[in-house]
Amino acid sequence: MASSAFLKRMRFTNTMVSGFQSSRSYAAAAVGTDLISSAPDVSLQRARTWDEGVSSKFATTPLRDIFKDKKVVIFGLPGAYTGVCSTQHIPSYKNIIDKFKSKGIDSVICVAVNDPYTINGWAEKLQAKDAIEFYGDFDGSFHKKLDLIVDLSSALLGPRSNRWSAYVDDGKIKALNVEKAPSEVKVSGGDVILGQI
């Protein structure tokens, strides 16, 4: 009974998201976009414990430090502890991390509209911190600047990251994949972006 209600809610969410997305474009984030200049005032928060946050005086990481002179695979997802993100999206990168490294990728990064403490607890639960760098976009400013934000209020999540992936070389997007619905991992999984490097 509960699973039936959940499936109905997800179908409703996908319908709402499809309607919302069809009325907008992804002009801000596209192949060729320079992430550093597109969001020069935006920083992300590396996943960490509360005590680590206090000791660092709640330091943030400018996009320049993440992308400048580096080859990065980055993927965004709706949120920590959510079903598809935990069971499909993260494993699709974690399980092939050696293949990314063999292609010269400096880091594989996961970012979501969450605080860095929630992201940290989730990454530890998934035992993925050794393979993937996790960052929180606590107020959604990174995703808003790139027009990769989606309203998931119908699933009680509010404004969140769309499900997406990108290959970024020295700050510039070389490949970008955005899912049509946040409940799917069809074009943003690790195997797809690996083939685009």
Side-chain angles (χ1 to χ4, degrees):
M1 184 78 160
S3 62
S4 175
F6 176 76
L7 289 173
K8 285 180 185 175
R9 188 182 242 346
M10 286 311 298
R11 280 195 289 273
F12 173 74
T13 299
N14 287 342
T15 301
M16 294 293 291
V17 169
S18 294
F20 178 72
Q21 289 177 331
S22 65
S23 66
R24 53 182 247 183
S25 66
Y26 293 99
V31 172
T33 298
D34 185 326
L35 294 178
I36 299 167
S37 62
S38 293
D41 55 338
V42 172
S43 294
L44 296 174
Q45 307 82 42
R46 185 181 283 274
R48 60 191 173 217
T49 65
W50 178 259
D51 289 343
E52 289 168 336
V54 170
S55 68
S56 72
K57 298 183 180 175
F58 304 105
T60 59
T61 307
L63 296 185
R64 180 177 193 79
D65 292 355
I66 296 171
F67 296 110
K68 184 69 178 160
D69 298 323
K70 296 175 187 169
K71 293 183 178 184
V72 175
V73 166
I74 183 169
F75 64 104
L77 42 78
Y81 294 101
T82 53
V84 174
C85 302
S86 299
T87 62
Q88 294 179 42
H89 215 180
I90 293 293
S92 78
Y93 287 86
K94 178 185 168 189
N95 295 339
I96 59 171
I97 198 68
D98 291 340
K99 293 181 180 179
F100 286 114
K101 297 300 180 183
S102 72
K103 287 201 169 198
I105 297 300
D106 295 300
S107 56
V108 173
I109 293 172
C110 172
V111 62
V113 181
N114 282 113
D115 63 82
Y117 319 109
T118 299
I119 290 275
N120 187 67
W122 181 53
E124 288 181 350
K125 179 179 170 101
L126 295 175
Q127 299 178 341
K129 282 184 76 176
D130 289 340
I132 300 168
E133 293 179 25
F134 288 80
Y135 285 88
D137 178 19
F138 82 95
D139 61 356
S141 57
F142 174 68
H143 288 91
K144 286 175 192 168
K145 288 271 186 179
L146 299 174
D147 197 18
L148 288 170
I149 202 93
V150 64
D151 185 359
L152 295 179
S153 296
S154 61
L156 306 178
L157 293 171
R160 292 293 179 139
S161 164
N162 215 316
R163 192 177 300 283
W164 61 279
S165 65
Y167 165 48
V168 182
D169 188 353
D170 193 23
K172 293 180 182 60
I173 296 176
K174 300 295 185 181
L176 175 67
N177 309 294
V178 182
E179 298 288 354
K180 291 183 180 176
S183 60
E184 300 174 340
V185 181
K186 291 185 174 178
V187 299
S188 64
D191 57 334
V192 174
I193 200 75
L194 181 69
Q196 295 171 326
I197 298 171

